[in-house]
Amino acid sequence: MVFTIKRPASKRFFQLSFEGFRPQGRNKFEQFVNIWAEFFRSLLEYLWDKIVDLLFLIGAAVYFLFQIPSTAKSFVVKKLIWSRGKLGRPLAFVTVVTASLIVFMIGEVLSSYDFIASPQVKADYIATSSDIIPKREMAVTTVPEERKRTESYVYKIESGDTLYSIGQKFKISVDAIKYVNSLSDNSILKVGQEITIPPVAGLIHTVERGDTLTSIALKYDVPAQAVADFNYLLDTSNLALGTELVIPGGKVPKIVPVISVYSGAPSTGISPAASADRGFCVWPTTVRIITQYFSWYHDGLDIATPHNIALPPLLACTSGTVVRAGWDPFGLGLHVRIDHGNGYETVYGHMSRIDVSYGQKVSRGEIIGLMGNTGRSTGPHVHFTIKYNGVAQDPFNFVQ
């Protein structure tokens, strides 16, 4: 029996199997360079394959995006055709709701951006404020146009100034200027004279003994809260004597003149009116139906119109300047007041239409509006008043 002993080949197999991992080169330097060169070549091949795959993916995505509109259109058209129009209303509803939600969400997102809410607030205001301000940009104070001047202003009369030109310059009523400065229509303004200009659209009231916020508000026909808010009154129950309060939108208190007992003769008023020319005024309208004459208890003429004709026009007594055109809360309704200079003034009440405006120049006999029935009135008529230095006169002493 012959026994054959085989030599193990594990060592030879191991040497052959890992032969490819051995670096090529005649020396160690060449082997080192070849190893790193092979590494970078393999890395570049890997990156190139990934770039190609990415470009292919991008191309597929672009192609898909271009196909979405046509595919969606085809889908919607098929659905609409298959449903025979039944999906039209639901589809429109969904579209509108979706668009609304998008606008709402985008608006909420954009409202927090700095380029929209960027007004800055001074640090000293935040340091002294007792309010909670979660974000500085939220504390924005906008001063309204009518609140930009809250204190009275001393104005020096210049050459050519009149009460009406000053009123137009400062955007306040002539009545307010006259009331604050104790002036009348026949007051003479001198160059260099100083007058007090009240804040825009307001009057000035000096607190006297016994005054309360309520009594002041009633005097000028304004809400008490408006006076308190405009003047920043924290304690409205205690008003300091001599304090000047701004009355926003305050109306000049109506002063009731003292009238002497009527003697039966035509009123002469002040001496210049007694010798007035009867041709000073034109008849204020085109009709002559007088329903009430001038008397001590009625300061003008009531001239009416028949009910079966159109409302007649109202005519300016003579040339002058419109100093009031609007609603009268004391009963005249729509009315116009014209200043004719030298202390003369005419008033036309209960109008149905006003064709002139404040500050407008009117000529003798010019149409200023239509007769009406506004205010406290029992029928279509005009309440025509002529005043001299604030005192009512008998119109028959001035009209033809």
Side-chain angles (χ1 to χ4, degrees):
M1 185 174 184
V2 179
F3 293 95
T4 303
I5 300 175
K6 295 183 178 181
R7 298 177 61 184
S10 57
K11 180 178 180 181
R12 182 172 177 270
F13 176 78
F14 175 81
Q15 291 176 348
L16 292 177
S17 299
F18 291 91
E19 188 70 21
F21 290 96
R22 293 182 179 179
Q24 301 294 326
R26 292 173 294 179
N27 52 45
K28 290 184 178 182
F29 177 77
E30 290 183 359
Q31 292 175 1
F32 177 80
V33 172
N34 291 335
I35 288 175
W36 282 104
E38 184 68 19
F39 169 75
F40 283 114
R41 184 183 64 80
S42 301
L43 181 61
L44 290 176
E45 290 180 356
Y46 173 79
L47 293 177
W48 174 253
D49 292 340
K50 293 302 179 182
I51 292 174
V52 171
D53 293 341
L54 180 61
L55 292 176
F56 177 78
L57 181 61
I58 293 175
V62 172
Y63 176 78
F64 176 75
L65 290 176
F66 277 103
Q67 291 297 319
I68 286 178
S70 59
T71 304
K73 177 182 177 181
S74 301
F75 176 79
V76 172
V77 171
K78 290 179 181 179
K79 286 294 183 181
L80 292 177
I81 293 176
W82 292 344
S83 61
R84 298 180 180 179
K86 294 180 180 179
L87 294 179
R89 182 172 296 179
L91 184 61
F93 174 78
V94 171
T95 303
V96 172
V97 171
T98 303
S100 302
L101 288 175
I102 292 174
V103 171
F104 176 77
M105 294 178 65
I106 292 178
E108 287 295 320
V109 171
L110 292 180
S111 63
S112 62
Y113 277 61
D114 289 339
F115 70 86
I116 292 181
S118 59
Q120 299 294 324
V121 179
K122 293 183 179 179
D124 55 352
Y125 169 79
I126 299 177
T128 58
S129 175
S130 60
D131 298 331
I132 298 175
I133 304 178
K135 186 178 181 182
R136 289 191 176 187
E137 286 77 8
M138 295 177 64
V140 180
T141 301
T142 301
V143 180
E145 186 67 26
E146 64 273 12
R147 290 294 302 275
K148 289 186 177 179
R149 186 164 61 86
T150 58
E151 298 180 356
S152 59
Y153 173 74
V154 177
Y155 176 75
K156 287 188 177 182
I157 302 298
E158 300 175 355
S159 178
D161 278 343
T162 64
L163 290 178
Y164 309 108
S165 65
I166 296 173
Q168 290 181 343
K169 182 177 182 179
F170 291 96
K171 306 300 181 184
I172 58 176
S173 66
V174 175
D175 288 338
I177 299 178
K178 292 192 294 185
Y179 179 78
V180 171
N181 296 276
S182 300
L183 301 175
S184 61
D185 287 333
N186 60 331
S187 297
I188 300 176
L189 300 179
K190 299 180 180 179
V191 176
Q193 176 184 351
E194 293 184 351
I195 62 174
T196 301
I197 305 297
V200 176
L203 297 175
I204 301 174
H205 176 83
T206 302
V207 177
E208 301 175 353
R209 187 176 301 279
D211 279 347
T212 64
L213 186 63
T214 303
S215 65
I216 295 172
L218 290 175
K219 180 178 181 179
Y220 298 99
D221 193 21
V222 296
Q225 188 62 47
V227 179
D229 291 344
F230 199 96
N231 295 276
Y232 303 102
L233 298 179
L234 300 179
D235 184 7
T236 58
S237 61
N238 186 17
L239 301 179
L241 294 179
T243 302
E244 289 188 347
L245 299 179
V246 177
I247 314 299
K251 299 178 178 63
V252 176
K254 189 175 182 180
I255 301 175
V256 180
V258 178
I259 304 175
S260 60
V261 178
Y262 180 63
S263 63
S267 172
T268 57
I270 302 175
S271 56
S275 59
D277 184 3
R278 284 185 176 273
F280 177 75
C281 277
V282 299
W283 190 254
T285 183
T286 56
V287 295
R288 288 181 176 265
I289 302 176
I290 301 176
T291 56
Q292 191 168 1
Y293 289 85
F294 173 84
S295 64
W296 65 271
Y297 58 85
H298 189 256
D299 64 353
L301 285 179
D302 284 351
I303 307 171
T305 180
H307 290 277
N308 57 351
I309 66 173
L311 294 174
L314 299 181
L315 312 176
C317 161
T318 188
S319 59
T321 303
V322 178
V323 294
R324 177 168 291 178
W327 184 262
D328 174 58
F330 302 104
L332 286 180
L334 290 177
H335 76 295
V336 169
R337 184 151 57 94
I338 302 176
D339 178 75
H340 304 285
N342 298 322
Y344 288 98
E345 185 179 78
T346 54
V347 182
Y348 310 78
H350 309 300
M351 300 172 64
S352 63
R353 191 183 75 192
I354 297 176
D355 295 335
V356 293
S357 59
Y358 171 79
Q360 180 177 338
K361 303 290 184 181
V362 295
S363 56
R364 180 183 180 88
E366 181 178 341
I367 296 177
I368 61 174
L370 296 181
M371 186 182 294
N373 192 28
T374 58
R376 289 197 294 268
S377 173
T378 58
H381 74 287
V382 60
H383 179 85
F384 176 59
T385 302
I386 297 180
K387 294 183 178 180
Y388 177 75
N389 288 342
V391 180
Q393 307 292 321
D394 187 349
F396 277 116
N397 291 336
F398 302 86
V399 297
Q400 295 176 342

